[in-house]
Amino acid sequence: MQGVTVLGSTGSIGINTLDVLAGNADRYHVVALTANQQSERLFEQCRRFKPEFAVMMDDAAALSLRDRVRRAGLATEVLAGIEGLKAVTRLSQVETVVAAIVGAAGLPSTLEAVKAGKRVLIANKEPLVMVGDLIMDQARLSGAKLIPVDSEHNAIFQCMPAGFAIPGKLPTVADDVLQHLGVRRILLTGSGGPFRATPIEDLARVTPDQACAHPTWSMGRKISVDSATMMNKGLELIEACRLFSTTPDHIQIVVHPQSVIHSMVEYVDGSVLGQLGVPDMRTPITHALAWPERMQSGVESLDLLAIGRLDFEAPNPGHFPCLRLAEGAARRGGTAPALLNAANEVAVARFLAGGLSFTGIAEVIEQVLSDVAIEAAETLDVVLAADARARDLAVRHIDRRQAGKAPATVSVTGRPV
Ligand code: NAD
Ligand code: MG
C-alpha cells in the first residue's frame, strides 16, 4: 500500500484524485487530506477515507473540523495552518504527495514535499512558474521525482522517450536536454477557452460565471478564468520550460478547441507523438499516480467517430493579451514570472469578486510588470519579496481604477515586458 497526502483535497483536482484513489483502494492508503476553509467538505472526506491527518489552513475551520471529527468518533488528527500542511508532506509513511492547492499558496507545502524526497504529483502550476529552477535543484538534491498532472504537461511527459524522468540528473543548459533526446519542439495545445470567438469589444462586459463556463473542462474558478484569458496557457508555457528544461523558442502554442489532443512532442526525424483522450483530469491524475505502470481511471473511451474532426488554429494575440504578457515574462526570466503570477492572482480574485472587468485583468498585470524592476531569481526570499510587491501594487492599481482616478482602459498592446 502506497501512502498518499492530497494537498487541496476539497478542490477540483483534489476531488478527482480521491475518486481515482477510491477506485484503486487496494493500492493506496490516504494518509492526509488538506483544505483551506471548507471544513464541512473535508469532514465528509475524512468520514469516507479515514486519513491519519486532516489539515485546515484556517484556524477557526480547524477547530470546527476537530469538533466534528471527535463527535463522529474518527481517529483522524486535525492540524492547522502552514506548519500542519508542511508536516503532512514529510511523514515517513507518505510516499506520494499530490500538490493540488491553487496558486502561490501551494508553494511552501510543495517545496517541503520536494525537499523530503517524495514522489510529487504537480497540478499546482503556480509554484513552478514562480521558482521552478529552485524546485528542480531541490529535487535533484533530495531525489524527489516530479510527475506533471496538468493535462498538457502530463501528455508531453507521456510522449517523451522511455526512461525520461523529472528532474534530469544534471542542471543542464536549456535545450540540451531536448536535443539530447532528439526532440525538435513541443506543441502545447489549449482549447482557447469560452471567449475564443467572442468579439473583442464584448470582452469588457463578460461576467465571472461566463468566464468560468469552460467549453471542454470542468475546473476550479481561478484556473477557469485563467483559461478564459489564456493566462493559463501562458503559465503553462513557463511550466513547460521549467519541467522540460527548454525555452519558449522550442514550444509552439496551438489552439485546439476540442481538447482531445492534450499536447504533442515533435522529434528531429519529423515524428510527432501526441497523447489523446477525453478531457477528464482523472486520466493524467491516474497516469501520474501509477507511473511507470498503468491502472484504471474510470474514464470513458475516446470516441473519435463521434468527435468527427480535430481543429487547430494559432492563438489570436490581440484577443489574448495575457498570453503575450506571459511569453514576455518567460523570455525575461528572473522574477518576471513571479510578478506576472502574483499580479494575475490578485486581478483574477478581484474579477471573481466583481471588482474588476475581465479586460482589466491583463491591464493590471501589464501595469505591475512595468512598475517593478525585474531581478535575478537567485533565492526564495528574493522571489517572495517580488511576489509581495506585485500583489501590493496590483491591489493599488485596482483600487485606483475603482476610485475612478485611473483611466478606465489602459493600452495592453504597447510595451513588451
Ligand atoms: P480549486 O479552487 O478547485 O481547489 C483548490 C484547493 O486548494 C482547495 O482544496 C482549497 O481548499 C485549497 N486552498 C485554496 N487556498 C488555499 C490556501 N491559501 N492554503 C491552503 N489550501 C488552499 O482549484 P483546482 O481547480 O483544483 O486547481 C488546483 C491547482 O491545479 C491549480 O494550481 C490549477 O492551476 C491546477 N490545475 C487544475 C486543473 C483542473 O482541472 N482543475 C487542471 C490542471 C491544473
Ligand atoms: Mg492544463
Side-chain angles (χ1 to χ4, degrees), residues 125 149-153 188-189 217 219 223 227 232-233 236 239 262 281:
K125 65 194 82 181
V149 168
D150 206 350
S151 58
E152 297 77 4
H153 305 76
L188 182 68
T189 55
W217 293 98
M219 308 180 285
I223 185 177
S227 299
N232 185 48
K233 215 43 60 186
E236 289 183 355
E239 183 186 10
H262 300 307
M281 286 308 292

Side-chain angles (χ1 to χ4, degrees), residues 382-397:
V382 168
V383 178
L384 292 179
D387 172 282
R389 176 110 181 89
R391 282 172 201 271
D392 181 50
L393 277 167
V395 168
R396 286 196 220 185
H397 277 304

Side-chain angles (χ1 to χ4, degrees), residues 225-270:
V225 176
D226 286 348
S227 299
T229 60
M230 280 198 85
M231 177 57 91
N232 185 48
K233 215 43 60 186
L235 296 176
E236 289 183 355
L237 174 77
I238 303 171
E239 183 186 10
C241 290
R242 311 289 208 201
L243 287 169
F244 304 107
S245 305
T246 189
T247 64
D249 290 336
H250 293 80
I251 301 177
Q252 183 182 13
I253 295 175
V254 178
V255 172
H256 164 46
Q258 290 91 354
S259 301
V260 166
I261 302 182
H262 300 307
S263 279
M264 293 168 266
V265 174
E266 181 183 321
Y267 286 85
V268 289
D269 61 5

